[in-house]
């Protein structure tokens, strides 16, 4: 891979860590606002006793330790795809080592798709719940603001999504320092409050968690559905890995985020033991009155940042889904020359905003949203563990006993958390499942349509060399240059075959063009064009672009030299051909009617919504049916 000599020097580790604070850790960093409060909610009916407080604290501490610190940060983040993380990255990595096991590969594909779709379901709940939980602190600081919580929440959410066009690099620079202050503040509050009941330090012993579950039976088991709120954002750590890299995220977690979270949870537990009447909102009650309003403002900023983690993760997953062929092309804006993974996708951003804002008046309180939360998260955790087990066996070549031990250690907790959250489905847990199901159907339809279309093309077309060798000398050549866009391994484009079949002519010069996206920010102009002369008047050409560049074929050709192109560029002599074809074989679609219809609708929408190739509309000849390739 050719590196761009003009690329800027990568940012320092400290800058990446600060940026990661502002983008990656906001979700899990704001869990103290609601995790312990929901664990002692009236619906669980737990009395405030030392055993119950220590038990829930121990469950939270060991959930964070096993799921986040060990499973995700140590193991899952090892399975990156060229620095990218998330369900699709894991799926892609595993596929490479399962080429001789198609059945297992198919199962892994289904699991990876489900995990990705469930992450989207989580992405619509987290922003609404996080911001609302912070604004509800106003009810304590300024009780008169109670009726304005929903309005303020909606306004903040709209502002957050409007900021996304700055990119994760710009957002991280703005949010990073604020998040650092947030973690230092919650850590300080914890240290300050632990002294009210130092016995909470005993919660580090896992036997309190086991004793709590054994003593409280079903009540204790149901509490796991709220304890899972303490590890929300674990999947975002992995999904956002491409934005900043593995090492900055790991160091930031162990040095800043983890200690601050544990200290704050211990402080809340000490407060509850000291005064059980404050269990309704222990986070805000542990704040001195003189600092309450500033901390509500800081908490609001932190929850805005929490929302950023899942939004950035949704951008990353969408980008990977497009590259893997599960979604049609969309407009993607790369916002950093230093990290290829820092992107902004307008369609995803505004769609998420509409759904997230709609949830606020529907659920009205963060406690109601908490009931909808957890089902998607825990299901993704179980799926991720299953996929990591496959990676352990076929990618990392672990011994069987090591895989069994790892799966038992992580699996017991993952399955327990999943089981405790399934009971939330009637109370709102159905929402992320419905969103995930709709997205799963869409992705499967698009993938099936692409495969059917590729099979139809392979049946209808012929190798380019064979077509050129069979051209009759008497075939009429018309003046001008014909540019046929085609894939890297594609045969003779159908638009060319249709042109010869129906018009009985070819152009004086035919250029078979493939656009290539490289993993560097910018490709210098002198390296942009690669061509091979196939025969007189016929050439194969590749246009290379960096990921920060807009693909504009006419402009690139106009800037190229005659030596690069092999001809003198004349804009009015150029005709561009795109192939558009229906998924039809012998007059019948190989797909079910609903799947073929969904694929065709998505293809038409994508074709009309993107100007991916930046071709002049009045110079493009479209032949065939409707589906955009």
């Amino acid at each position: 891979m050719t590196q761009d000599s003009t690329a800027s020097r990568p940012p320092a580790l400290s800058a990446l860590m600060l940026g990661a604070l502002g983008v990656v850790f906001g979700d899990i960093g704001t869990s103290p606002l609601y995790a312990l409060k929901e664990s002692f909610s009236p619906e669980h009916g737990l009395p405030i006793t030392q055993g119950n407080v220590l038990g829930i604290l121990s469950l939270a501490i060991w959930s964070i330790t096993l799921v986040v610190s060990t499973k995700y940060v140590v193991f899952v983040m090892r399975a990156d795809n060229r620095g990218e993380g998330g369900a699709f990255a894991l799926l892609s990595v595993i596929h490479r080592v399962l080429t001789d096991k198609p059945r297992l590969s198919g199962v892994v594909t289904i699991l990876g798709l489900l995990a990705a779709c469930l992450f989207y379901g989580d992405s619509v709940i987290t922003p609404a719940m996080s911001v609302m939980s912070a604004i509800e602190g106003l009810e304590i600081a300024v009780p008169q603001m109670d009726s304005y919580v929903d309005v303020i929440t909606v306004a903040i959410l709209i502002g957050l999504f409007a900021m996304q066009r700055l990119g994760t690099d710009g957002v991280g620079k703005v949010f990073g320092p604020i998040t650092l202050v947030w973690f230092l503040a919650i850590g300080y509050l914890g240290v300050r409050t632990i002294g009210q009941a130092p016995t909470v330090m005993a919660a580090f012993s896992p036997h309190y968690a086991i004793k709590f579950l054994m003593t409280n039976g079903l009540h204790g088991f149901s509490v796991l559905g709220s304890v899972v709120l303490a590890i929300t954002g674990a999947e975002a750590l992995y999904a956002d890995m491409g934005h900043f890299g593995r090492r900055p995220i790991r160091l930031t977690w162990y040095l800043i985020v983890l200690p601050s979270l544990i200290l704050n949870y211990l402080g809340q537990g000490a407060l509850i033991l000291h005064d059980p009447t404050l269990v309704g909102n222990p986070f805000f009650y542990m704040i001195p009155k003189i600092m309450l309003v500033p901390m509500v403002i800081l908490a609001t900023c932190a929850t805005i940042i929490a929302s950023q983690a899942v939004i950035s993760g949704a951008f990353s997953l969408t980008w990977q889904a497009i590259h893997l062929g599960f979604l049609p092309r969309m407009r993607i804006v790369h916002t950093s020359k230093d990290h290829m993974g820092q992107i902004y996708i307008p369609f995803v951003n505004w769609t998420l905003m509409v759904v997230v804002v709609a949830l606020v008046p529907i659920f009205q309180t963060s406690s109601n949203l908490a009931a909808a939360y957890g089902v998607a998260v825990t299901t993704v955790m179980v799926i991720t563990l299953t996929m990591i087990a496959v990676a352990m066996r076929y990618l990392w070549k672990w011994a069987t006993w090591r895989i069994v031990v790892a799966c038992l250690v992580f699996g017991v907790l993952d399955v327990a958390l999943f089981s405790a959250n399934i009971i939330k489905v009637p109370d709102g847990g159905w929402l992320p499942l419905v969103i995930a199901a709709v997205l799963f159907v869409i992705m499967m339809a698009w993938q099936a349509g692409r495969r059917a279309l590729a099979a139809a093309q392979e049946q209808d077309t012929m190798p380019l060399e064979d077509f050129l060798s069979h051209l009759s000398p008497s075939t009429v050549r018309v003046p001008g240059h014909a540019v046929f866009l085609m894939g890297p391994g594609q045969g003779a484009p159908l638009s060319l075959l249709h042109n010869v079949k129906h018009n009985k002519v070819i152009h004086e010069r035919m250029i078979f063009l493939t656009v290539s996206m490289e993993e560097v920010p910018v490709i210098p102009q002198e390296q942009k064009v690669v061509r091979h002369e196939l025969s007189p008047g016929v050439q194969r050409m590749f246009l290379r672009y960096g990921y920060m560049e807009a693909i504009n074929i006419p402009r690139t050709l106009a800037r190229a030299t005659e030596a690069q192109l092999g001809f003198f560029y004349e804009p009015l002599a150029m005709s561009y051909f795109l192939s558009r074809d229906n998924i039809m074989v012998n007059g019948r679609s190989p797909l079910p009617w609903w799947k073929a219809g969904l694929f065709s609708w998505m293809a038409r929408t994508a074709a009309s919504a993107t100007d991916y190739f930046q071709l002049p509309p009045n110079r493009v000849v479209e032949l065939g049916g409707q589906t955009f390739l």
Side-chain angles (χ1 to χ4, degrees):
M1 180 178 64
T2 303
Q3 296 293 330
D4 177 21
S5 60
T6 64
S8 58
R9 180 177 299 176
L13 178 62
S14 58
L16 289 173
M17 291 176 64
L18 188 62
L21 268 179
V23 173
V24 179
F25 294 102
D27 189 4
I28 196 167
T30 54
S31 57
L33 286 169
Y34 41 76
L36 208 60
K37 177 183 73 172
E38 295 301 328
S39 297
F40 280 104
S41 65
E43 67 181 48
H44 296 310
L46 289 174
I48 307 300
T49 65
Q50 180 171 304
N52 287 340
V53 172
L54 291 178
I56 291 177
L57 284 175
S58 185
L59 282 171
I61 290 171
W62 282 98
S63 295
I64 293 172
T65 301
L66 290 176
V67 176
V68 186
S69 295
T70 308
K71 176 185 170 183
Y72 276 93
V73 178
V74 175
F75 292 102
V76 177
M77 289 182 70
R78 286 183 59 191
D80 68 295
N81 182 18
R82 298 179 181 179
E84 286 291 329
F88 284 125
L90 182 56
L91 173 61
S92 180
V93 169
I94 295 176
H95 267 180
R96 295 174 194 164
V97 295
L98 294 180
T99 53
D100 59 338
K101 294 178 173 58
R103 186 170 298 179
L104 180 58
S105 180
V107 172
V108 171
T109 298
I110 297 296
L111 291 176
L113 277 179
L114 283 173
C117 294
L118 287 165
F119 183 86
Y120 284 109
D122 172 29
S123 298
V124 302
I125 296 178
T126 296
M129 186 175 73
S130 298
V131 175
M132 189 177 290
S133 64
I135 301 302
E136 285 173 350
L138 288 173
E139 298 173 357
I140 299 174
V142 187
Q144 298 87 343
M145 298 295 291
D146 179 33
S147 58
Y148 297 98
V149 168
D150 287 2
V151 176
I152 297 173
T153 300
V154 168
I156 290 173
L157 288 171
I158 292 174
L160 169 66
F161 283 99
M163 285 184 63
Q164 294 305 311
R165 65 181 183 274
L166 297 175
T168 50
D169 185 40
V171 171
K173 289 177 181 177
V174 174
F175 286 165
I178 298 174
T179 315
L180 179 59
V181 173
W182 166 257
F183 281 114
L184 294 176
I186 66 173
Y188 165 75
L189 289 172
V191 171
R192 180 180 177 274
T193 315
I194 287 173
Q196 296 182 10
T199 54
V200 294
M201 300 299 292
F204 282 105
S205 173
H207 95 274
Y208 284 102
I210 298 171
K211 183 180 179 181
F212 171 82
L213 293 174
M214 294 179 64
T215 302
N216 290 283
L218 289 177
H219 283 294
F221 182 75
S222 67
V223 171
L224 285 175
S226 298
V227 170
V228 75
L229 296 172
I231 56 176
T232 59
E235 189 68 23
L237 267 68
Y238 183 44
D240 285 331
M241 188 165 62
H243 293 263
F244 300 97
R246 183 191 298 123
R247 187 165 177 246
I249 291 176
R250 281 178 170 171
L251 288 174
T252 306
W253 168 255
Y254 289 122
L255 296 178
I256 301 173
V257 181
L258 177 61
S260 300
L261 291 175
I262 298 299
L263 287 172
N264 192 266
Y265 282 123
L266 292 173
Q268 290 189 48
L271 180 75
I272 294 172
L273 286 177
H274 178 71
D275 187 353
T277 62
L278 303 181
V279 73
N281 204 329
F283 178 86
F284 285 106
Y285 282 124
M286 70 192 299
I287 302 170
K289 288 187 178 181
I290 194 173
M291 294 298 296
L292 191 54
V293 172
M295 275 302 295
V296 170
I297 295 173
L298 182 59
T300 302
C301 293
T303 53
I304 292 172
I305 297 164
S307 307
Q308 181 63 49
V310 292
I311 295 171
S312 300
F315 291 161
S316 296
L317 282 182
T318 303
W319 186 35
Q320 294 166 20
I322 292 170
H323 280 270
L324 292 174
F326 292 113
L327 286 175
R329 275 194 290 257
M330 303 178 193
R331 180 170 172 256
I332 298 174
V333 180
H334 290 269
T335 59
S336 172
K337 291 185 178 181
D338 300 315
H339 276 268
M340 186 176 178
Q342 294 190 2
I343 56 175
Y344 164 62
I345 305 179
F347 177 79
V348 174
N349 183 64
W350 300 119
T351 303
L352 278 177
M353 187 197 77
V354 170
V355 178
V356 169
V357 168
L359 294 182
V360 175
I362 292 174
F363 284 87
Q364 297 183 344
T365 68
S366 62
S367 294
N368 292 338
L369 277 166
Y373 201 82
V375 177
V377 174
T378 53
T379 306
V380 171
M381 288 178 181
V382 173
I383 292 174
T384 300
L385 179 60
T386 305
M387 296 177 70
I388 283 295
V390 176
M392 291 174 180
R393 174 67 178 86
Y394 296 101
L395 180 63
W396 302 332
K397 308 296 183 182
W398 280 20
T400 302
W401 70 268
R402 292 182 66 189
I403 300 174
V404 171
V405 171
C407 289
L408 283 176
V409 170
F410 301 132
V412 170
L413 184 56
D414 282 355
V415 172
L417 292 172
F418 169 77
S419 302
N421 277 275
I422 283 297
I423 60 177
K424 293 183 178 181
V425 171
D427 299 322
W430 54 268
L431 176 65
L433 297 181
V434 169
I435 293 172
V438 171
L439 289 171
F440 183 79
V441 170
I442 288 174
M443 290 186 184
M444 291 297 291
W446 183 257
Q447 185 194 44
R450 280 174 50 89
R451 288 179 175 175
L453 186 57
Q457 288 177 328
E458 186 176 353
Q459 182 179 8
D460 293 341
T461 191
M462 66 174 67
L464 182 58
E465 292 77 8
D466 291 352
F467 173 81
L468 295 175
S469 65
H470 285 84
L471 275 179
S472 170
S474 61
T475 303
V476 177
R477 288 183 175 265
V478 297
H481 302 74
V483 180
F484 296 94
L485 274 76
M486 57 186 292
Q490 190 176 318
L494 292 179
S495 53
L496 170 63
L497 299 178
H498 289 178
N499 192 35
V500 173
K501 178 180 179 180
H502 297 292
N503 301 326
K504 315 299 183 185
V505 298
I506 59 175
H507 286 70
E508 285 181 334
R509 176 171 291 276
M510 292 187 293
I511 302 164
F512 299 98
L513 179 64
T514 297
V515 174
S516 172
M517 183 71 74
E518 306 288 338
E519 294 183 11
V520 293
V522 178
I523 299 292
Q525 180 62 42
E526 62 271 14
Q527 300 176 17
K528 264 188 164 47
V529 181
V530 178
R531 67 180 180 88
H532 308 284
E533 204 75 22
L534 301 180
S535 63
V538 180
Q539 65 184 43
R540 187 80 167 89
M541 182 180 293
F542 295 84
L543 293 187
R544 303 170 63 235
Y545 291 89
Y547 62 79
M548 285 288 294
E549 298 180 276
I551 297 177
N552 190 314
I553 293 175
R555 184 174 61 192
T556 303
L557 295 178
R559 290 178 177 177
T561 64
E562 187 173 349
Q564 283 181 293
L565 298 178
F567 60 89
F568 178 72
Y569 178 76
E570 298 178 85
L572 296 179
M574 309 297 291
S575 294
Y576 299 90
F577 289 79
L578 293 170
S579 293
R580 298 172 183 261
D581 300 274
N582 287 315
I583 317 171
M584 303 294 290
V585 179
N586 297 325
R588 297 181 60 187
S589 170
L591 298 178
W593 64 268
W594 65 269
K595 193 174 287 188
L598 180 58
F599 174 78
S600 296
W601 173 79
M602 291 170 66
R604 288 194 301 272
T605 303
S608 61
T610 182
D611 51 356
Y612 188 78
F613 293 114
Q614 295 291 320
L615 297 176
N618 60 325
R619 300 297 300 161
V620 178
V621 180
E622 299 174 1
L623 299 171
Q626 298 175 337
T627 300
F628 183 72
L629 300 182

